[in-house]
Amino acid sequence: MEYNLKKDDVSKVYFSNFRARNGLNLLQKLERLIKTAKISDIDFKNKFTAIKIHFGEPGNLAYLRPNYAKVVADVVKELGGKPFLTDCNTLYVGRRKNALDHIEAAYENGFTPFSTGCNVIIADGLKGTDEELVKIDLEYVKEAKIGKAIMDADVFISLNHFKGHEMTGFGGAIKNIGMGCGSRAGKMEMHSSGKPYTIHEKCVKCKRCSKICAHGAISYDEEGKANIDHKKCVGCGRCIGVCNFDAIRPANDESNDILNYKMAEYTYAVLKDKPNFHISLITDVSPNCDCHSENDVPIVPNIGMLASFDPVALDVACVDMVNNAEIIKGSNLEEHTKKFDLDKLKYKDNLCVNHPDTNWRSCIEHAVKIGLGNKKYELIKLN
């Protein structure tokens, strides 16, 4: 494919801080922000609109409040659209690995139709196997595996909690879209260059995994425990989705840089043929992902809300603000500034010091390379 991105292109990113006063609360500021950023340029009339959000693993309190989701849903409805909140099932063990548990977790964290004004749909179905194959033929991903309901939507909006991340450096728009919209098989493709494996002590001999395997890669030992033949396995990940006992796991053996490259390419697959808009909130900036069932002290103070049609520029603007922010005392980031010899670290910015084994730049550079967006941005501040 040809990339038509011009090096001198500059994308507009709109910003509003978290200061509030009588007559203008934060929810009103968010509504004003996305309207000023011209979300209305999208034709929402009778269009199914996916609002991609992380519902938060129960036990974690740093995820975005449902109140923010309601603002976005209400604006979409005002513009004639039909919004729904969505995410895909997780690859790891937890409360969001199948649609039933995932919806219950979302409700527990406040994302109900009554509080947000729209329904929750888990995009890759009951077991994480309801996916659409999106041909993109990029460097690392040839055919992305995206949650079906997301691909069925007419319009796509990402509502992102900006935070640190232990593998990608930060979680923002690209992380929320690329990793978040991948089916369980898609997530495995991003995390792994290998094949799944079985944990015998967890296997209950139900043999459901072999019934879903289209390649005859699963056999059973003398005790009836499952084994996966990697010569036959194609890495589709469907056995992971069908196992209710977490006896089949992916091999998290892909390097962080390649994970970032694949994540950018998955984001490209989601957005390439769909009107899209992106919102990020730099608040409760935890050192790790909201997938954790706990959250640590924020690494920097709350900064503000940002919106753009360009997910790359939006992420870069958020990165710049977090890296220029004061470090909170007692946080993971402050501990790392004392623990590591900063002179020996390749990158000394806040996000990389937070997790020194990560390199968020690899994701941004690859996203620009494939034409996902611009690294240069104009920050437009609202009062």
Side-chain angles (χ1 to χ4, degrees):
M1 78 180 285
E2 295 182 358
Y3 306 124
N4 298 316
L5 185 68
K6 297 179 181 178
K7 291 184 179 180
D8 295 328
D9 282 352
V10 176
S11 295
K12 292 182 178 180
V13 177
Y14 293 78
F15 170 79
S16 182
N17 62 33
F18 280 123
R19 296 297 303 273
R21 59 181 185 272
N22 288 337
L24 186 64
N25 61 40
L26 293 182
L27 301 180
Q28 292 168 326
K29 291 187 75 171
L30 176 59
E31 179 182 358
R32 185 187 64 171
L33 174 73
I34 62 178
K35 287 183 175 180
T36 304
K38 299 182 179 180
I39 191 174
S40 60
D41 283 356
I42 296 175
D43 177 13
F44 286 98
K45 188 67 175 179
N46 294 320
K47 302 289 179 62
F48 292 108
T49 302
I51 302 174
K52 171 62 180 72
I53 191 169
H54 195 306
F55 297 117
E57 188 72 16
N60 188 307
L61 298 176
Y63 62 89
L64 294 183
R65 288 183 174 90
N67 311 63
Y68 295 120
K70 185 178 189 303
V71 170
V72 180
D74 284 348
V75 169
V76 170
K77 288 189 287 187
E78 180 184 322
L79 295 171
K82 298 180 178 180
F84 63 95
L85 301 181
T86 191
D87 198 0
C88 286
N89 292 305
T90 59
L91 192 57
Y92 59 83
V93 178
R95 290 279 305 278
R96 298 177 300 115
K97 64 181 180 178
N98 64 71
L100 297 184
D101 291 343
H102 202 156
I103 290 175
E104 286 183 1
Y107 285 177
E108 184 176 317
N109 283 344
F111 294 94
T112 72
F114 306 104
S115 61
T116 65
C118 64
N119 286 298
V120 171
I121 297 176
I122 306 305
D124 59 343
L126 183 62
K127 299 177 181 177
T129 57
D130 190 0
E131 63 195 13
E132 184 167 323
L133 303 180
V134 182
K135 188 174 181 179
I136 53 176
D137 286 327
L138 294 177
E139 186 174 354
Y140 295 91
V141 178
K142 303 305 177 185
E143 196 172 56
K145 306 168 184 69
I146 308 297
K148 189 68 167 62
I150 287 169
M151 295 311 299
D152 281 346
D154 304 303
V155 179
F156 182 90
I157 296 174
S158 69
L159 180 54
N160 318 295
H161 173 216
F162 192 89
K163 56 202 170 289
H165 196 276
E166 54 276 25
M167 297 182 72
T168 61
F170 71 86
I174 296 175
K175 175 69 167 58
N176 187 27
I177 302 166
M179 184 61 68
C181 292
S183 66
R184 295 192 83 180
K187 288 180 173 66
M188 188 177 77
E189 179 179 23
M190 285 179 272
H191 277 293
S192 176
S193 61
K195 309 290 176 66
Y197 63 94
T198 58
I199 301 175
H200 279 189
E201 56 266 29
K202 287 184 172 289
C203 179
V204 300
K205 312 175 190 178
C206 68
K207 299 188 176 181
R208 297 178 69 186
C209 53
S210 64
K211 294 177 182 178
I212 201 171
C213 181
H215 303 278
I218 300 177
S219 60
Y220 300 91
D221 62 18
E222 294 178 353
E223 297 181 3
K225 304 282 189 175
N227 290 307
I228 299 174
D229 184 347
H230 284 182
K231 292 181 180 178
K232 296 180 180 179
C233 174
V234 299
C236 72
R238 289 183 175 274
C239 56
I240 299 174
V242 79
C243 181
N244 293 331
F245 306 96
D246 302 312
I248 303 178
R249 303 282 179 83
N252 289 325
D253 57 358
E254 199 62 283
S255 72
N256 286 344
D257 280 354
I258 294 180
L259 169 62
N260 272 334
Y261 301 152
K262 290 181 176 180
M263 199 167 65
E265 293 184 4
Y266 260 70
T267 301
Y268 179 92
V270 173
L271 303 182
K272 70 184 186 77
D273 295 320
K274 204 181 297 291
N276 57 89
F277 185 81
H278 312 280
I279 308 155
S280 288
L281 277 69
I282 309 177
T283 180
D284 297 321
V285 185
S286 52
N288 300 315
C289 184
D290 291 342
C291 292
H292 285 245
S293 59
E294 81 292 325
N295 60 281
D296 201 355
V297 173
I299 59 175
V300 297
N302 294 346
I303 296 174
M305 304 176 279
L306 300 90
S308 179
F309 282 97
D310 184 338
V312 181
L314 180 64
D315 273 353
V316 175
C318 290
V319 164
D320 288 345
M321 289 184 175
V322 169
N323 282 337
N324 289 321
E326 178 184 355
I327 298 173
I328 290 182
K329 292 183 178 180
S331 68
N332 181 78
L333 177 56
E334 189 203 34
E335 289 178 358
H336 281 199
T337 60
K338 298 176 180 178
K339 176 180 178 181
F340 296 103
D341 185 347
L342 299 186
D343 290 335
K344 293 183 179 180
L345 295 181
K346 183 176 181 180
Y347 302 112
K348 302 174 181 60
D349 60 74
N350 285 345
L351 289 169
C352 287
V353 173
N354 182 52
H355 288 295
D357 293 330
T358 64
N359 174 22
W360 57 264
R361 292 168 177 80
S362 61
C363 180
I364 298 299
E365 296 297 338
H366 194 67
V368 172
K369 176 183 175 182
I370 64 176
L372 185 59
N374 304 307
K375 188 162 63 172
K376 297 179 180 180
Y377 64 92
E378 175 191 358
L379 190 67
I380 301 170
K381 297 182 179 180
L382 308 183
N383 294 328

